Amino acid sequence: MMNNTVDYQNKTLMAVLAHPDDETFGLGGTLALYAQRGVDVHLVCATRGEVGEIDPEYKETIKSAACLRTQELRCAAEVLGINKLHFLNYRDSGMPGAEANHHPKALAAQPVEKVAAEVAHLIRKVQPDVLLTFDPIGGYRHPDHIAIQRATVQALELAAEKSFQDSEGLPPYQPQRLYFHFMDRSFLKIMVWVLRLTGKDPHRWGRNEDIDLMALTDVDFPTHVKIDYRPVKDLRKKAAACHASQGGAQMNKGLRGFLTWLFGGHHETFMQAYPELEKDPRYKRDLFE
Ligand SMILES: [Zn+2]
Protein backbone atom coordinates (compact mmCIF):
# COMPACT_ATOMS: atom_id res chain seq x y z
CA MET A 1 0.00 0.00 0.00
CA MET A 2 0.94 3.63 -0.38
CA ASN A 3 3.67 4.71 1.96
CA ASN A 4 3.05 8.17 3.35
CA THR A 5 6.61 8.72 4.51
CA VAL A 6 8.01 8.49 0.98
CA ASP A 7 7.99 11.59 -1.21
CA TYR A 8 7.46 9.90 -4.58
CA GLN A 9 7.53 13.19 -6.48
CA ASN A 10 11.26 13.38 -5.92
CA LYS A 11 12.04 9.78 -6.77
CA THR A 12 13.38 8.23 -9.93
CA LEU A 13 13.07 4.62 -11.01
CA MET A 14 14.89 2.98 -13.90
CA ALA A 15 14.11 -0.46 -15.31
CA VAL A 16 16.77 -2.09 -17.49
CA LEU A 17 15.22 -4.74 -19.75
CA ALA A 18 15.82 -6.51 -23.06
CA HIS A 19 12.82 -6.37 -25.42
CA PRO A 20 9.75 -4.31 -26.22
CA ASP A 21 7.02 -6.02 -24.09
CA ASP A 22 9.29 -6.99 -21.13
CA GLU A 23 8.22 -3.71 -19.49
CA THR A 24 4.55 -4.72 -19.62
CA PHE A 25 4.36 -8.50 -19.20
CA GLY A 26 6.98 -8.65 -16.47
CA LEU A 27 6.60 -5.63 -14.24
CA GLY A 28 4.13 -3.33 -15.99
CA GLY A 29 1.93 -3.04 -12.92
CA THR A 30 4.83 -1.79 -10.82
CA LEU A 31 5.98 0.75 -13.41
CA ALA A 32 2.44 2.10 -13.87
CA LEU A 33 1.83 2.27 -10.13
CA TYR A 34 4.94 4.34 -9.42
CA ALA A 35 4.37 6.57 -12.45
CA GLN A 36 0.90 7.29 -11.09
CA ARG A 37 2.37 8.21 -7.71
CA GLY A 38 4.59 10.78 -9.38
CA VAL A 39 7.86 8.85 -9.64
CA ASP A 40 10.00 9.72 -12.68
CA VAL A 41 10.03 6.34 -14.47
CA HIS A 42 12.69 5.50 -17.07
CA LEU A 43 13.03 2.40 -19.21
CA VAL A 44 16.20 1.13 -20.83
CA CYS A 45 15.36 -1.31 -23.62
CA ALA A 46 18.45 -3.08 -24.94
CA THR A 47 17.00 -4.35 -28.26
CA ARG A 48 14.10 -3.66 -30.60
CA GLY A 49 12.76 -7.22 -30.38
CA GLU A 50 13.83 -8.14 -33.92
CA VAL A 51 13.32 -11.86 -33.43
CA GLY A 52 9.89 -11.81 -31.77
CA GLU A 53 7.51 -13.97 -33.76
CA ILE A 54 4.96 -11.64 -35.35
CA ASP A 55 1.33 -12.77 -35.51
CA PRO A 56 0.44 -13.74 -39.12
CA GLU A 57 -2.06 -10.92 -39.72
CA TYR A 58 0.74 -8.37 -39.25
CA LYS A 59 3.29 -10.09 -41.43
CA GLU A 60 1.99 -8.87 -44.77
CA THR A 61 1.69 -5.22 -43.88
CA ILE A 62 4.95 -4.56 -42.09
CA LYS A 63 8.53 -4.52 -43.27
CA SER A 64 10.37 -4.96 -40.03
CA ALA A 65 9.51 -6.50 -36.68
CA ALA A 66 11.89 -4.03 -35.01
CA CYS A 67 9.99 -1.03 -36.32
CA LEU A 68 6.59 -2.41 -35.36
CA ARG A 69 7.74 -3.48 -31.91
CA THR A 70 9.35 -0.11 -31.24
CA GLN A 71 5.98 1.49 -32.00
CA GLU A 72 4.24 -0.99 -29.73
CA LEU A 73 6.69 -0.16 -26.97
CA ARG A 74 6.08 3.58 -27.37
CA CYS A 75 2.34 2.89 -27.08
CA ALA A 76 2.78 0.78 -23.92
CA ALA A 77 5.23 3.27 -22.38
CA GLU A 78 2.70 6.05 -22.77
CA VAL A 79 -0.06 3.99 -21.19
CA LEU A 80 2.14 2.92 -18.27
CA GLY A 81 3.36 6.49 -17.70
CA ILE A 82 7.01 5.83 -18.50
CA ASN A 83 8.66 9.23 -18.79
CA LYS A 84 11.58 8.35 -21.02
CA LEU A 85 12.71 5.45 -23.17
CA HIS A 86 16.42 4.76 -23.71
CA PHE A 87 17.40 2.29 -26.44
CA LEU A 88 20.77 0.53 -26.46
CA ASN A 89 20.17 -0.64 -30.05
CA TYR A 90 21.48 -4.15 -29.72
CA ARG A 91 19.74 -6.96 -31.56
CA ASP A 92 17.33 -9.50 -30.16
CA SER A 93 19.26 -12.81 -29.84
CA GLY A 94 16.22 -15.08 -29.88
CA MET A 95 15.98 -18.24 -27.79
CA PRO A 96 19.00 -20.63 -27.52
CA GLY A 97 19.81 -22.31 -30.82
CA ALA A 98 18.27 -19.58 -33.00
CA GLU A 99 20.30 -18.26 -35.92
CA ALA A 100 19.98 -14.76 -34.44
CA ASN A 101 22.30 -15.89 -31.58
CA HIS A 102 25.25 -15.34 -33.94
CA HIS A 103 24.36 -11.92 -35.33
CA PRO A 104 27.24 -9.49 -34.59
CA LYS A 105 24.85 -7.09 -32.81
CA ALA A 106 23.08 -9.84 -30.83
CA LEU A 107 22.76 -8.69 -27.21
CA ALA A 108 23.66 -12.07 -25.73
CA ALA A 109 26.86 -12.21 -27.84
CA GLN A 110 28.25 -8.86 -26.55
CA PRO A 111 31.01 -8.67 -23.94
CA VAL A 112 29.21 -7.92 -20.65
CA GLU A 113 31.67 -5.04 -19.90
CA LYS A 114 30.62 -3.22 -23.06
CA VAL A 115 26.89 -3.33 -22.28
CA ALA A 116 27.59 -2.56 -18.60
CA ALA A 117 29.49 0.61 -19.56
CA GLU A 118 26.46 1.85 -21.52
CA VAL A 119 24.06 1.07 -18.68
CA ALA A 120 26.46 2.72 -16.18
CA HIS A 121 26.47 5.87 -18.30
CA LEU A 122 22.65 5.96 -18.20
CA ILE A 123 22.68 5.38 -14.42
CA ARG A 124 24.89 8.46 -14.02
CA LYS A 125 22.73 10.46 -16.39
CA VAL A 126 19.29 9.52 -15.03
CA GLN A 127 20.39 9.13 -11.36
CA PRO A 128 17.71 6.61 -10.34
CA ASP A 129 17.01 5.92 -6.67
CA VAL A 130 15.83 2.44 -7.61
CA LEU A 131 17.11 0.21 -10.38
CA LEU A 132 15.15 -2.83 -11.65
CA THR A 133 16.14 -5.70 -13.89
CA PHE A 134 15.56 -9.45 -14.43
CA ASP A 135 16.49 -12.22 -12.01
CA PRO A 136 19.74 -14.19 -12.64
CA ILE A 137 17.93 -16.77 -14.81
CA GLY A 138 16.36 -14.02 -16.92
CA GLY A 139 12.79 -14.82 -15.88
CA TYR A 140 12.40 -17.81 -18.18
CA ARG A 141 16.03 -18.31 -19.26
CA HIS A 142 15.95 -15.99 -22.25
CA PRO A 143 19.63 -15.33 -23.18
CA ASP A 144 18.99 -11.59 -23.68
CA HIS A 145 17.34 -11.28 -20.27
CA ILE A 146 20.33 -12.98 -18.66
CA ALA A 147 22.77 -10.77 -20.62
CA ILE A 148 21.13 -7.50 -19.60
CA GLN A 149 20.77 -8.67 -15.98
CA ARG A 150 24.53 -9.34 -15.77
CA ALA A 151 25.33 -6.04 -17.44
CA THR A 152 23.07 -4.16 -15.01
CA VAL A 153 24.65 -5.79 -11.94
CA GLN A 154 28.08 -4.77 -13.24
CA ALA A 155 26.83 -1.30 -14.20
CA LEU A 156 25.67 -0.59 -10.64
CA GLU A 157 29.26 -0.87 -9.41
CA LEU A 158 30.78 0.80 -12.44
CA ALA A 159 28.55 3.89 -12.17
CA ALA A 160 29.81 4.50 -8.61
CA GLU A 161 33.49 4.01 -9.45
CA LYS A 162 35.59 7.16 -9.69
CA SER A 163 37.96 5.52 -12.14
CA PHE A 164 35.20 4.71 -14.64
CA GLN A 165 34.96 7.25 -17.45
CA ASP A 166 31.62 7.22 -19.22
CA SER A 167 31.04 8.68 -22.68
CA GLU A 168 29.93 12.07 -21.29
CA GLY A 169 32.38 12.32 -18.40
CA LEU A 170 29.58 12.40 -15.79
CA PRO A 171 30.34 12.19 -12.05
CA PRO A 172 29.97 8.85 -10.19
CA TYR A 173 26.50 7.95 -8.99
CA GLN A 174 25.22 5.24 -6.66
CA PRO A 175 21.55 4.15 -6.81
CA GLN A 176 20.12 3.25 -3.40
CA ARG A 177 18.72 -0.10 -4.42
CA LEU A 178 18.79 -2.75 -7.10
CA TYR A 179 15.96 -5.26 -7.36
CA PHE A 180 15.48 -8.34 -9.52
CA HIS A 181 11.97 -8.97 -10.77
CA PHE A 182 11.00 -12.65 -10.78
CA MET A 183 7.91 -14.73 -11.44
CA ASP A 184 6.06 -15.63 -8.26
CA ARG A 185 6.77 -19.34 -7.79
CA SER A 186 3.47 -20.21 -6.18
CA PHE A 187 1.68 -18.71 -9.19
CA LEU A 188 4.05 -20.58 -11.50
CA LYS A 189 3.30 -23.88 -9.76
CA ILE A 190 -0.44 -23.30 -10.10
CA MET A 191 0.05 -22.62 -13.82
CA VAL A 192 1.99 -25.86 -14.29
CA TRP A 193 -0.74 -27.74 -12.44
CA VAL A 194 -3.54 -26.21 -14.56
CA LEU A 195 -1.61 -26.84 -17.80
CA ARG A 196 -1.23 -30.50 -16.92
CA LEU A 197 -4.86 -30.73 -15.91
CA THR A 198 -5.92 -29.35 -19.31
CA GLY A 199 -3.63 -31.75 -21.18
CA LYS A 200 -1.00 -29.14 -22.14
CA ASP A 201 2.75 -29.61 -21.84
CA PRO A 202 4.32 -27.31 -19.20
CA HIS A 203 7.72 -27.93 -20.84
CA ARG A 204 6.50 -26.18 -23.98
CA TRP A 205 4.65 -23.07 -22.96
CA GLY A 206 4.13 -19.69 -24.60
CA ARG A 207 3.09 -18.68 -28.09
CA ASN A 208 6.29 -20.14 -29.53
CA GLU A 209 6.18 -23.16 -27.23
CA ASP A 210 9.78 -22.45 -26.28
CA ILE A 211 9.40 -21.78 -22.57
CA ASP A 212 9.94 -24.67 -20.15
CA LEU A 213 7.92 -23.72 -17.09
CA MET A 214 8.93 -26.94 -15.30
CA ALA A 215 12.58 -25.94 -15.41
CA LEU A 216 11.69 -22.68 -13.66
CA THR A 217 9.87 -24.22 -10.72
CA ASP A 218 13.18 -25.69 -9.42
CA VAL A 219 14.76 -22.27 -8.96
CA ASP A 220 13.38 -19.92 -6.33
CA PHE A 221 14.21 -16.41 -5.22
CA PRO A 222 13.41 -14.73 -1.91
CA THR A 223 10.48 -12.31 -2.04
CA HIS A 224 11.71 -9.03 -0.55
CA VAL A 225 9.09 -6.77 -2.06
CA LYS A 226 5.59 -7.58 -3.26
CA ILE A 227 3.85 -4.87 -5.26
CA ASP A 228 0.08 -4.89 -5.35
CA TYR A 229 -0.82 -3.21 -8.62
CA ARG A 230 -4.61 -3.45 -8.41
CA PRO A 231 -5.03 0.36 -8.58
CA VAL A 232 -3.50 0.31 -12.09
CA LYS A 233 -4.50 -3.15 -13.34
CA ASP A 234 -6.52 -1.66 -16.20
CA LEU A 235 -3.51 0.35 -17.35
CA ARG A 236 -1.43 -2.80 -17.42
CA LYS A 237 -4.12 -4.50 -19.50
CA LYS A 238 -4.22 -1.55 -21.88
CA ALA A 239 -0.43 -1.60 -22.21
CA ALA A 240 -0.54 -5.34 -22.99
CA ALA A 241 -3.00 -4.60 -25.80
CA CYS A 242 -0.38 -2.23 -27.32
CA HIS A 243 1.81 -5.28 -27.95
CA ALA A 244 -0.69 -6.66 -30.43
CA SER A 245 1.93 -8.34 -32.65
CA GLN A 246 3.03 -10.34 -29.62
CA GLY A 247 -0.47 -11.53 -28.83
CA GLY A 248 -0.83 -8.84 -26.16
CA ALA A 249 -4.59 -8.64 -26.30
CA GLN A 250 -5.03 -12.41 -25.97
CA MET A 251 -2.60 -12.39 -23.05
CA ASN A 252 -5.34 -10.68 -21.03
CA LYS A 253 -7.81 -13.39 -21.94
CA GLY A 254 -5.60 -16.48 -22.03
CA LEU A 255 -4.73 -18.91 -19.28
CA ARG A 256 -2.57 -16.39 -17.51
CA GLY A 257 -5.31 -13.81 -17.56
CA PHE A 258 -7.80 -16.35 -16.25
CA LEU A 259 -5.53 -17.43 -13.41
CA THR A 260 -4.79 -13.83 -12.47
CA TRP A 261 -8.51 -13.23 -12.26
CA LEU A 262 -9.17 -16.47 -10.38
CA PHE A 263 -6.50 -15.95 -7.74
CA GLY A 264 -6.73 -12.18 -7.58
CA GLY A 265 -3.00 -12.31 -8.25
CA HIS A 266 -2.45 -8.71 -9.21
CA HIS A 267 1.00 -8.48 -7.73
CA GLU A 268 4.62 -8.49 -8.91
CA THR A 269 7.50 -9.87 -6.87
CA PHE A 270 11.04 -8.58 -6.39
CA MET A 271 14.24 -9.70 -4.73
CA GLN A 272 16.57 -7.05 -3.32
CA ALA A 273 20.02 -7.54 -4.86
CA TYR A 274 21.68 -4.36 -3.56
CA PRO A 275 22.27 -3.70 -0.75
CA GLU A 276 22.35 -7.43 -0.11
CA LEU A 277 20.12 -8.63 2.72
CA GLU A 278 21.66 -11.08 5.16
CA LYS A 279 18.48 -12.74 6.25
CA ASP A 280 15.20 -12.82 4.42
CA PRO A 281 12.93 -10.57 6.42
CA ARG A 282 9.18 -10.26 5.95
CA TYR A 283 8.52 -8.77 2.56
CA LYS A 284 7.81 -5.09 2.08
CA ARG A 285 5.16 -3.46 -0.04
CA ASP A 286 7.23 -0.63 -1.46
CA LEU A 287 10.44 -0.48 -3.51
CA PHE A 288 11.39 2.89 -1.99
CA GLU A 289 10.85 2.09 1.69
ZN1 LIG B 1 12.07 -10.30 -23.33
Side-chain angles (χ1 to χ4, degrees), residues 17-23 47 49 69 92 134 138 140 142 144-145:
L17 304 171
H19 312 111
D21 81 6
D22 293 335
E23 82 297 335
T47 79
R69 296 195 63 193
D92 188 343
F134 296 101
Y140 53 89
H142 193 300
D144 286 336
H145 295 184

Side-chain angles (χ1 to χ4, degrees), residues 2-15:
M2 183 120 175
N3 186 328
N4 293 322
T5 60
V6 180
D7 176 13
Y8 296 105
Q9 309 285 330
N10 286 321
K11 299 288 182 196
T12 302
L13 182 154
M14 187 163 101

Side-chain angles (χ1 to χ4, degrees), residues 170-232:
L170 298 170
Y173 180 80
Q174 174 77 67
Q176 282 164 17
R177 294 218 168 73
L178 167 67
Y179 295 100
F180 298 153
H181 167 258
F182 66 96
M183 260 191 271
D184 186 322
R185 263 35 188 188
S186 52
F187 192 71
L188 198 63
K189 281 172 188 159
I190 294 166
M191 272 182 77
V192 166
W193 179 75
V194 174
L195 282 170
R196 284 203 163 135
L197 211 67
T198 53
K200 296 192 183 86
D201 184 359
H203 292 284
R204 303 179 64 81
W205 185 75
R207 21 201 310 282
N208 304 324
E209 301 189 339
D210 55 3
I211 300 171
D212 184 351
L213 288 182
M214 285 305 290
L216 306 182
T217 53
D218 302 342
V219 194
D220 206 354
F221 299 101
T223 304
H224 295 141
V225 182
K226 206 172 195 174
I227 300 292
D228 180 344
Y229 68 83
R230 268 174 300 182
V232 294

Side-chain angles (χ1 to χ4, degrees), residues 8-9 11-15 23-24 27-44 72-86 232-240 242-243 288:
Y8 296 105
Q9 309 285 330
K11 299 288 182 196
T12 302
L13 182 154
M14 187 163 101
E23 82 297 335
T24 298
L27 36 73
T30 301
L31 299 183
L33 191 73
Y34 283 111
Q36 199 178 64
R37 289 178 186 174
V39 172
D40 183 16
V41 178
H42 290 247
L43 172 68
V44 180
E72 290 180 343
L73 174 55
R74 291 196 193 284
C75 167
E78 202 182 318
V79 171
L80 296 173
I82 292 170
N83 224 345
K84 194 156 170 37
L85 284 174
H86 309 265
V232 294
K233 68 176 171 28
D234 292 337
L235 289 178
R236 192 187 189 275
K237 249 188 196 172
K238 214 174 141 191
C242 287
H243 293 288
F288 291 90

Side-chain angles (χ1 to χ4, degrees), residues 80-152:
L80 296 173
I82 292 170
N83 224 345
K84 194 156 170 37
L85 284 174
H86 309 265
F87 287 101
L88 299 184
N89 291 316
Y90 287 104
R91 200 172 182 280
D92 188 343
S93 317
M95 288 299 270
E99 212 177 292
N101 292 179
H102 309 292
H103 192 284
K105 288 286 283 178
L107 174 61
Q110 306 302 313
V112 63
E113 301 75 27
K114 182 172 176 259
V115 184
E118 289 177 53
V119 176
H121 167 236
L122 286 171
I123 291 174
R124 286 182 174 182
K125 197 170 175 157
V126 173
Q127 305 195 332
D129 301 280
V130 163
L131 200 58
L132 305 177
T133 190
F134 296 101
D135 64 45
I137 64 160
Y140 53 89
R141 301 187 195 276
H142 193 300
D144 286 336
H145 295 184
I146 295 170
I148 199 67
Q149 190 268 352
R150 287 182 183 157
T152 306

